[in-house]
């Protein structure tokens, strides 16, 4: 009874911790999205400079990551040559900077709710790019699922009350660059046995993001900021906003490290619904029935995709366990045969 109770307590503790990590990640992701919208929206804080905001985030994250890695030794840096850094990390940094720039820019033109609906296309983009780079096998069932998600998002876009073509282009571009970045991480880092947690990722990736963003910033936003003499840097607003962005990276590390990437995908769907509800009830964005119907279809497609991923993962784990059992059985059989042969030879020598 004692052992069963202890096991039940252990399982309960694990479940509570998993839900805690999910709640922390949803809260921080929710906060960063709403905070960025507040800063960039012309009707709210009215600071429509997405490149500058992203650079502030990258500069803040780079500084904190450097302190944690080099000064406080909180995590060990990954051993990386300059050649590997230039060929693997720099391309990922370029894609990440473009993804952040475009996604933050979309908040100026689109509502929070509609942006979350467009983000439902992420599995479609990741799968399509994975097939193009031969990291995913083409399956007609999966492609049909991707088409259903795309149709759902298309219906949601058709029902959008404040549709802005430029904003949609920006958000779709952000999805495409982010999906490419995720595939490139598999090709350029994971396949070489290199794994980066969020702190080491920020330590290596944030500085090159800052450099890449500096080029368009000089030509696009710096002249405007230079001529806007009324602007004064608000350390409280931008400091807390950057701190939330950094904390979100740590929450990703906790969530994926303690649960799984699949758990984060499922939690992301919950977060999207919460953001849609918040956008409609608090920010007063218009959410139409066609919006909800289209996103509902996309949601079902994403849910089925996550279910398929979980099913495939369980099948791979079962196959791996079966192979290990077969190998262990073969090893035991060889050991017994060796013992028998040894015993036979010993008897022959005695005779």
């Amino acid at each position: 009874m004692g052992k069963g109770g202890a096991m039940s307590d252990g399982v309960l503790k694990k479940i509570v911790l998993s839900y805690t990590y999910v709640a922390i990640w949803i809260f921080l992701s929710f906060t960063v999205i709403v905070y960025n919208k507040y800063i960039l929206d012309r009707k709210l804080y009215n600071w429509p400079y997405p490149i500058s905001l992203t650079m502030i985030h990258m500069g803040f994250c780079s500084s904190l990551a450097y302190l944690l890695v080099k000064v406080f030794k909180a995590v060990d840096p990954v051993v990386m040559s300059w050649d590997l850094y230039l060929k693997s990390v720099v391309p990922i940094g370029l894609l990440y900077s473009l993804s952040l720039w475009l996604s933050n820019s979309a908040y100026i033109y689109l509502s929070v709710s509609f942006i979350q609906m467009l983000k439902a296309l992420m599995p479609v983009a990741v799968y399509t790019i994975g097939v193009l780079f031969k990291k995913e096998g083409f399956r007609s069932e999966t492609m049909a699922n991707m088409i259903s998600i795309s149709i759902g998002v298309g219906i949601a876009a058709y029902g959008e009350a404040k549709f802005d073509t430029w904003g949609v282009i920006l958000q779709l571009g952000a999805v495409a660059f982010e999906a490419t970045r995720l595939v490139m991480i598999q090709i350029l880092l994971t396949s070489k046995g290199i794994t980066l947690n969020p702190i080491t990722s920020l330590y290596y990736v944030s500085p090159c993001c800052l450099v890449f963003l500096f080029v368009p910033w000089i030509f696009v936003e710096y002249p405007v900021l230079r001529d806007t003499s009324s602007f004064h840097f608000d350390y409280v607003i931008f400091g807390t906003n950057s701190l939330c962005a950094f904390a979100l990276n740590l929450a990703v590390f906790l969530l994926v490290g303690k649960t799984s990437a699949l758990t984060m995908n499922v939690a992301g769907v919950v977060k999207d619904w919460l953001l849609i509800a918040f956008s409609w009830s608090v920010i007063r964005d218009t959410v139409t029935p066609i919006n909800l119907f289209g996103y509902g279809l996309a949601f079902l497609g994403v849910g089925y995709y996550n279910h398929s991923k979980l099913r495939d993962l369980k099948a791979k784990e079962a196959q791996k366990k079966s192979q290990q059992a077969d190998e262990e059985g073969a090893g035991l059989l060889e050991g017994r045969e060796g013992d028998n042969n040894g015993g036979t030879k010993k008897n022959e020598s005695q005779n």
Side-chain angles (χ1 to χ4, degrees), residues 40 49-52 54 95-106 170 174 212-213 216-217 220-221:
L40 294 165
Y49 303 106
I51 306 177
S52 301
T54 309
L95 292 167
Y96 193 39
S97 62
L98 290 170
S99 171
L100 292 173
W101 171 16
L102 296 184
S103 63
N104 283 333
S105 298
L170 289 171
F212 283 125
L213 289 167
W217 179 76
V220 178
E221 292 185 2

Side-chain angles (χ1 to χ4, degrees), residues 68-84:
L68 289 171
V69 173
K70 289 293 187 181
V71 179
F72 298 109
K73 311 291 184 183
V75 293
D76 295 324
V78 177
V79 178
M80 188 177 298
S81 64
W82 272 106
D83 182 64
L84 180 63

Side-chain angles (χ1 to χ4, degrees), residues 37 45 93 96-97 119 145 174 176 201 205 216 227 272 295 331 344:
K37 172 67 175 177
Y45 188 76
Y96 193 39
S97 62
K119 284 182 180 179
N145 187 17
S201 292
V205 175
D227 297 337
D272 290 343
Y295 184 66
T344 303

Side-chain angles (χ1 to χ4, degrees), residues 92-281:
I92 292 170
L94 173 62
L95 292 167
Y96 193 39
S97 62
L98 290 170
S99 171
L100 292 173
W101 171 16
L102 296 184
S103 63
N104 283 333
S105 298
Y107 286 112
I108 300 173
Y109 305 96
L110 302 176
S111 67
V112 171
S113 58
F114 187 43
I115 285 174
Q116 303 317 303
M117 294 176 188
L118 291 174
K119 284 182 180 179
L121 289 170
M122 184 60 72
V124 180
V126 171
Y127 178 73
T128 304
I129 293 168
V131 170
L132 290 175
F133 283 94
K134 298 181 178 179
K135 293 300 293 183
E136 293 269 4
F138 179 84
R139 294 166 58 183
S140 55
E141 179 187 355
T142 306
M143 184 52 72
N145 187 17
M146 298 299 105
I147 291 172
S148 70
I149 295 172
S150 302
I151 291 172
V153 174
I155 293 172
Y158 176 77
E160 176 60 21
K162 297 179 181 178
F163 185 91
D164 187 281
T165 304
W166 180 238
V168 171
I169 291 171
L170 289 171
Q171 184 56 47
L172 293 180
V175 169
F177 283 122
E178 179 62 12
T180 307
R181 182 183 77 90
L182 294 174
V183 174
M184 285 296 106
I185 287 174
Q186 295 180 36
I187 296 173
L188 299 176
L189 293 178
T190 308
S191 62
K192 297 176 183 178
I194 300 171
T195 55
L196 300 176
N197 64 48
I199 296 176
T200 51
S201 292
L202 292 173
Y203 175 76
Y204 288 111
V205 175
S206 296
C208 63
C209 282
L210 200 57
V211 172
F212 283 125
L213 289 167
F214 183 77
V215 177
W217 179 76
I218 283 290
F219 297 101
V220 178
E221 292 185 2
Y222 173 70
V224 181
L225 287 168
R226 181 189 56 202
D227 297 337
T228 309
S229 57
S230 60
F231 173 73
H232 299 286
F233 190 86
D234 192 328
Y235 289 95
V236 174
I237 289 290
F238 293 105
T240 53
N241 178 247
S242 299
L243 187 61
C244 287
F246 184 81
L248 177 59
N249 280 277
L250 299 184
V252 170
F253 173 62
L254 275 175
L255 184 59
V256 176
K258 301 298 182 180
T259 57
S260 68
L262 190 62
T263 302
M264 191 174 79
N265 289 339
V266 175
V269 175
V270 176
K271 178 205 69 179
D272 290 343
W273 279 110
L274 289 173
L275 279 166
I276 290 170
F278 179 85
S279 176
W280 170 73
S281 60

